Amino acid sequence: MTIRSSIPSRRAFLKLSGAAVASSLVGGSAFAQTPADRPLHGLSAFGELKYPPGFTQFDYASPDAPRGGTFVFQPGYWVHNQNVTTFNTLNSFVRTGDAPPRMELCFDSLMVRAWDEPDAVYGLVAETVTLSPDRNSFTFRLRPHARFHDGSPLTAQDVAFSYLLLKEKGHPDFVLPLGEMEAVEVLGAHEVRLAFSGRQSARSILDIVLFPILSRASLEGSSFDSSTLEPLLGSGPYRVGRFSAGRYVEYDRVEDDWAHDLPARRGLFHFDRIRVEFYADRNAAFEAFKKGETLWREEFTSRLWANGYDFPAMSEGRVVRREFPSELRPSLYCKALNQRRARFRDPRVREAIALCFDFEWANRTLFHGLYQRSQSPFERSPYRAEGRPSPEELALLEPLRGRIPEAAFAEAVTQPASDGSGRDRRLLRRASRLLEEAGWRRRDGGLYNAEGERFTLEYLVRDEVFLQFESSFMANLRALGIDARIRRVDPAQYQARKLRFDFDLIEVAYLLGATPTHDTLVQFFHSRSATVEGSNNFPGMADPAVDALVDEVGRAKTRQAFVTAMRALDRVLRARRDWIPNWHSAHRRVAYWDMFGFKEPKPDYFFPVEALWWYEEEKAKAIGKA
């Protein structure tokens, strides 16, 4: 990986090493309605942009909000190699190590998402993007005043260096989408072109333009893919401040942020400091919030939401508890059985294990009735299949008949409701029959196959809360003769084992994009990711028929065709039973110390409170937190 000439004196053509993965996708089809050879201020999957050229801010931004204060919290979501319970590296863009959440705030990208649109991106470092007629290359004109935090200019060389580096050494979140990027062409100090093979999904670019831009001068020749507690040089609205590995990290707002008045940034990022606290234990994190050591909390424990908020600050009105609508994005909250282990490859085994999970009992006795049973890896979205397949869905499914479960052609597969007892004998008898059909027999109190191997199952968790609400699930597995146990490990060990797929069963929770790209679906469901350590293909799915449907989603030229392909994919995933759906809620449950301002309604597709909310000094004084 080299840049062969300096700029602006000459053009540098950067050829990438490594063979591209073959695919049947046709590049550019989803941008058929987007004009080529014309500089554009934004892109969307199907040509639908809310904000016109020359817009001044996003509607959810608050340019008149005051700046100042410190926002202290434990995040409810994270990306790449990040870990919410500990950290040992400040490099969030590689596979190794545990990085702190929100490290991405320190880095800018070519474009950014609009949080009130399902799939639109608008220029940040890139002032414009121009599509080639074949939609296989994208030329970005960069803003000449873009700067890194040390004052050095951010140039096309840095962009090219970043994409090559992430393709070679980055986290799978970057490596997989960049698999079909064939070349980077530096056209000048502030102009760069990304060229693709033609086999990529057209919507790949909507993810790729969000990748971080790194400083070539600060990283060239260094060991990028190793853990480090030396912050990487960035250009974003925040930079790393004080930190103590595994305990806390502070991000300080950049006072001379080069992009603060650009339309994509104006009216966002109001806090002077964002501090992320780390707690290995949920109870410790809740106690810290009650004491005011953290100031904002999203509650994921139904017991606490129902009965735990009776502490003094709450009764005195200094803490507010409320619900916000969940984002309009697919929710994948499921159990994943690792099919890299032979005993989980038979779908009858996976169905039997799913039948042991009594949601109705858990929701009544543990969850206080706050949840609904999920049925799909695309829950809470228009991509969840309902009823029998439509004619349009059948047109995609029929060519796969004999290669996909027959159940995909009937009513969409759902998890059966139990009697709520925690041990529904009807469902357990059905599970026992399925295991017997799959070749597992009861003997000496256990379950054995023809080779005499006992059926064992280790449920890997990192939080003690699972020990309680999965008690019925584990008891039902044991009742079938499965040697089932829960193993709780520390966060670092959990992350490492998940990374290398060293587990039988784990919980997986992701909020997918409102219009999931082909690359996102590859990460979770495609054969290409099954052997890529650090990918999200936790069950180890490797089915050519599923691959074909994922690729069909990538080929969709209209939103309706996209929805149809996603529903067909959903039907097959549910019939294969690779993922055991858990539960979901229509709301985010949030508590916070009453010292913040915010604009309502919240954006429909993303809710980064640390970017949207602001500190109000008078409120803070009123509750004794100034």
Side-chain angles (χ1 to χ4, degrees), residues 75-79 82 84 101-102 104 300 588 606-610:
Y77 68 89
W78 50 96
V79 296
Q82 295 173 4
V84 75
R102 304 306 183 267
E104 62 274 14
F300 297 102
R588 285 187 177 272
F606 196 33
F607 190 36
V609 175
E610 63 278 12

Side-chain angles (χ1 to χ4, degrees), residues 465-487:
V465 71
F466 291 98
L467 304 180
Q468 178 187 16
F469 68 66
E470 297 291 15
S471 58
S472 168
F473 179 48
M474 301 307 289
N476 284 336
L477 290 170
R478 294 184 190 115
L480 295 178
I482 296 174
D483 181 11
R485 61 178 65 89
I486 296 182
R487 183 176 182 187

Side-chain angles (χ1 to χ4, degrees), residues 280-297:
D281 181 83
R282 290 193 188 205
N283 291 328
F286 185 54
E287 290 302 315
F289 175 76
K290 288 163 62 175
K291 296 173 184 176
E293 294 172 7
T294 56
L295 303 173
W296 185 95
R297 173 181 174 85

Side-chain angles (χ1 to χ4, degrees), residues 97 117 149 241 275 319 369 381 384 434 478 485 511 592 594 603:
E117 296 182 78
H149 293 154
R275 180 178 170 113
V319 169
S381 81
R384 172 180 152 162
L434 286 166
R478 294 184 190 115
R485 61 178 65 89
L511 196 62
Y592 55 91
D594 192 12

Side-chain angles (χ1 to χ4, degrees), residues 445-463:
L447 200 62
Y448 296 85
N449 63 12
E451 289 72 36
E453 298 169 328
R454 184 165 186 187
F455 199 124
T456 63
L457 186 150
E458 181 184 81
Y459 183 5
L460 190 69
V461 303
R462 64 177 177 185
D463 196 305

Side-chain angles (χ1 to χ4, degrees), residues 45-46 113 118-119 203 206 329-330 383 512-517 559 562:
F46 303 105
R113 286 207 188 281
D119 50 37
R203 286 182 294 275
L206 297 177
R329 295 167 58 178
Y383 315 129
L512 306 183
T515 307
T517 64
R559 191 170 295 279
F562 179 85

Side-chain angles (χ1 to χ4, degrees), residues 105-106 148-151 231 236-242 250-256:
L105 295 176
C106 302
F148 288 104
H149 293 154
D150 65 354
Y238 289 88
R239 57 163 58 95
V240 175
R242 299 189 308 150
E250 293 181 349
Y251 301 104
D252 297 334
R253 186 164 55 83
V254 177
E255 289 295 335
D256 57 349

